[in-house]
Amino acid sequence: MPMPRGGAADPRTVGIAAWSLAHGFATLLLTRNLDDALAGRDPGEAFRSLAGLLGAARPGDAEAE
């Protein structure tokens, strides 16, 4: 499910990414593996911050032009 370079992502790929992030975060939260990382921070706020990163990365950002 590659994302076209410089183009819009396939909606199914975006959905999988969002679902994966939410599922992984919830699992880590429920198993208390985020206790130290969150350090008392509201889990909902922490998740919203992480979810915002999904739109921040663009194809080719990590590649040398």
Side-chain angles (χ1 to χ4, degrees), residues 1-4 10 13:
M1 290 179 273
M3 200 159 51
D10 171 38
T13 302

Side-chain angles (χ1 to χ4, degrees), residues 16-39:
I16 291 169
W19 177 82
S20 298
L21 176 65
H23 186 272
F25 186 86
T27 299
L28 291 170
L29 188 64
L30 290 171
T31 57
R32 303 188 62 95
N33 287 302
L34 293 177
D35 287 354
D36 289 340
L38 291 177

Side-chain angles (χ1 to χ4, degrees), residues 21 25 41-54:
L21 176 65
F25 186 86
R41 185 174 175 198
D42 174 54
E45 175 57 36
F47 179 78
R48 284 186 291 278
S49 294
L50 290 172
L53 296 174
L54 280 178

